[in-house]
Amino acid sequence: MSFERMWQDLGPVGRSASSGGYFRQPFGSAERECHAWFLEECAARGLEVESDGNGNTVGWWRAGSGSSVLTGSHLDSVLDGGAYDGPLGVVSSLAAIDLLRDRGFVPSRPIGVGAFVEEEGSRFGLACLGSRLMTGATTPEAAQELRDRDGVHLLDAMAAAGLDPQLGRGTLLDDVGVFVELHVEQGRDLVDRGAAVGVASEIWPHGRFRFDFTGEANHAGTTRMEDRHDPMLTYAMTALAANKQARLSGERATFGRIEAVPNGTNAVPSRVTAWLDARCETDESLTRMLAEIERLGQDRAGRDGTALSVTPESVSAAVGFDADLARRLAVDHAGGDWPIIATQAGHDAGVLSAAGIPTAMLFVRNPTGVSHSPAESAEIADCLVGVEALADTLERLAG
Ligand code: HGY
Ligand code: MN
Ligand code: MN
C-alpha cells in the first residue's frame, strides 16, 4: 500500500527534534516542502495540478465528465502539532486514488485531491484561510490585512515563498459537485465506540477572540498590592471565569496563547494580550458564553482599575453536514455501519459546506483522542481502513 511509503516520506518534514511535534506554518520552509512533496506525488500519478492565487492546490484525475468529486485536506499544522491533523487526509486521498486504480475503477466524473493552505490559522490567525478565500467567505481585502506575529503581511509571506498571490475565489471549486474530507478524529468518540471509521454530522460553532487587558506598569517590589492596576490579575481572573463558564455549560473555553508587555520578571505589566478559543453547541450559546466571559472580565477590570477590550479574530458558525450524504456514506459496509458523530474541531470541509457544496467528513480513530499535540496518534491499521473507506466513498460518489 502506497500509504506507508508516503507517510514515511512526509514524517520528518517540519518535525521538531526536541518535542517530536510539527511546525509546518504556512509559507514557511517545512510547509513549502510538504507542498512540493504533494506536487511530486500528484505528478507521479498523472494528476493534473491546478493552483489558485491563495496557495490552495488540487491534483485532478481527469476522467468522465460532469461535476467533480473533491477530496483532500490540509498540510499545515498548529505550533508543535501532531503528524495526522491534516496530512492524514491528503496522504489517504492519494493512496485511495492508487487503490481505486488497483481495483481497475474508472471514474465517471473527475476526482480531485486538494491541499488547502493555512487551515489552522496558526500563522495569520484566521482559521481555514485558504478555503475561506476560495469560497469567498473571506475577502481578499480582509485577508491582505492579516499579519503574523513578526508583523509580516500575508502577501509578503506568500511572495517570499515564491508565490504570486492573487487572493480571491479563483476557479478551483468550479464544477465541484461534492467534497469529502478524511481526517483523524480529534477526540475519543470512535475509540469509545470501538469503531475505526466514522462520518461527521456537524461542527460546533467556534471562534477565536483577542482579549486586550491594559493596566499600569510599575515596580514589582515597591508597589503595594492595593496600589496596583495589574492586567495580569484581570487576565487570570477572566481565564478562571471562562473555565468555569465552559464547565457549567459542558462546552469549551481555552486561553492557550498569551503575551505580556514588557514581559519583565520584576515589573507589573502594562498590558496583557490573551486569545480565547471558544466552542459551543449552538451559535446562540457561543454568543451567550462570550458575552458572559466578557462581562465577568469587565467587572474584574473595574475592580482592578484596568481596562479590557475584546476583538473577534476568527468566527465559524455552526455547520450541519449534508445529512442524506452522511447517511448514504455511513451504511452498508463490511463490519457494519459507520457511526455518525459531531465534532468540535473546525475543518475546511466546514467552510465548503457553508459555501453550499454538499460535503461529508470521514473520521479515522484516534486511540487517545489527543490532537494539536506531538502525542497525536492513529494506528497504521486504522489509517489503512481509512484509505479503504475513502476509496469506497469515492467509488460511490464518482462511479
Ligand atoms: O482548531 C480546529 O478546530 C482545527 O483543528 N483547525
Ligand atoms: Mn485539521
Ligand atoms: Mn487542527
Side-chain angles (χ1 to χ4, degrees):
M1 168 78 84
S2 59
F3 176 91
E4 286 147 299
R5 192 266 305 156
M6 286 190 280
W7 198 251
Q8 279 153 20
D9 289 350
L10 209 49
V13 182
R15 183 169 57 204
S16 157
S18 53
S19 69
Y22 286 87
F23 292 84
R24 294 167 172 167
Q25 276 50 61
F27 313 118
S29 56
E31 187 260 2
R32 288 294 94 190
E33 191 178 337
C34 291
H35 188 261
W37 168 89
F38 177 66
L39 296 181
E40 280 173 26
E41 293 296 330
C42 287
R45 290 166 178 78
L47 303 181
E48 181 191 305
V49 168
E50 182 186 3
S51 290
D52 66 10
N54 309 307
N56 302 307
T57 301
V58 175
W60 290 106
W61 179 2
R62 295 286 185 202
S65 61
S67 66
S68 60
V69 176
L70 181 63
T71 185
S73 188
H74 61 96
L75 293 169
D76 64 293
S77 73
V78 292
L79 297 170
D80 208 22
Y84 298 82
D85 177 354
L88 181 65
V90 176
V91 174
S92 299
S93 299
L94 293 166
I97 296 273
D98 296 344
L99 192 51
L100 289 173
R101 288 172 170 175
D102 290 348
R103 292 176 181 173
F105 172 76
V106 178
S108 64
R109 306 161 66 181
I111 296 177
V113 177
F116 306 114
V117 75
E118 180 62 319
E119 188 276 344
E120 295 291 0
S122 70
R123 180 172 181 185
F124 295 100
L126 182 57
C128 298
L129 176 60
S131 50
R132 285 179 194 251
L133 281 164
M134 191 166 56
T135 58
T138 291
T139 63
E141 293 72 25
Q144 62 195 27
E145 294 306 311
L146 296 172
R147 291 183 295 163
D148 67 12
R149 301 181 192 198
D150 299 323
V152 177
H153 276 88
L154 170 65
L155 296 180
D156 296 337
M158 294 176 75
L163 284 85
D164 172 20
Q166 304 291 330
L167 304 183
R169 281 178 176 271
T171 58
L172 278 185
L173 293 181
D174 289 358
D175 305 323
V176 169
V178 62
F179 175 55
V180 182
E181 179 174 4
L182 180 144
H183 203 284
V184 65
E185 191 199 348
Q186 296 163 300
R188 295 185 47 86
D189 210 323
L190 293 180
V191 67
D192 292 345
R193 294 168 185 251
V197 172
V199 179
S201 57
E202 64 181 272
I203 298 177
W204 278 20
H206 55 284
R208 305 172 189 189
F209 305 85
R210 192 184 74 248
F211 279 57
D212 287 298
F213 302 90
T214 48
E216 194 177 276
N218 215 325
H219 195 294
T222 56
T223 314
R224 296 184 311 169
M225 300 310 282
E226 61 269 34
D227 294 336
R228 295 176 181 211
H229 303 293
D230 183 353
M232 189 67 84
L233 177 63
T234 313
Y235 154 71
M237 300 305 280
T238 304
L240 284 171
N243 184 280
K244 183 175 179 183
Q245 286 305 308
R247 286 175 184 276
L248 286 173
S249 66
E251 296 172 308
R252 313 286 192 272
T254 310
F255 278 103
R257 176 185 169 195
I258 182 171
E259 290 173 3
V261 172
N263 211 22
T265 307
N266 58 351
V268 176
S270 56
R271 191 176 77 245
V272 169
T273 303
W275 283 262
L276 173 70
D277 178 311
R279 317 225 178 176
C280 293
E281 290 196 59
T282 65
D283 294 311
E284 295 72 28
S285 62
L286 179 63
T287 304
R288 202 166 42 245
M289 181 158 85
L290 244 293
E292 182 59 5
I293 293 171
E294 179 167 3
R295 185 188 68 78
L296 294 166
Q298 294 294 2
D299 176 60
R300 184 69 210 190
R303 278 186 273 164
D304 296 339
T306 56
L308 165 62
S309 73
V310 178
T311 310
E313 290 197 341
S314 174
V315 182
S316 306
V319 168
F321 288 114
D322 185 310
D324 293 336
L325 178 60
R327 266 193 301 276
R328 182 178 156 211
L329 298 183
V331 298
D332 297 337
H333 294 279
D337 295 352
W338 301 335
I340 300 177
I341 59 177
T343 182
Q344 294 77 32
H347 298 283
D348 292 310
V351 176
L352 269 68
S353 177
I357 295 175
T359 298
M361 285 196 77
L362 299 183
F363 289 127
V364 171
R365 175 166 47 196
N366 173 335
T368 65
V370 170
S371 184
H372 285 188
S373 156
E376 182 183 80
S377 71
E379 303 294 340
I380 188 68
D382 284 345
C383 294
L384 298 181
V385 169
V387 172
E388 298 265 358
L390 183 58
D392 294 349
T393 298
L394 294 176
E395 195 160 349
R396 283 185 174 182
L397 295 172

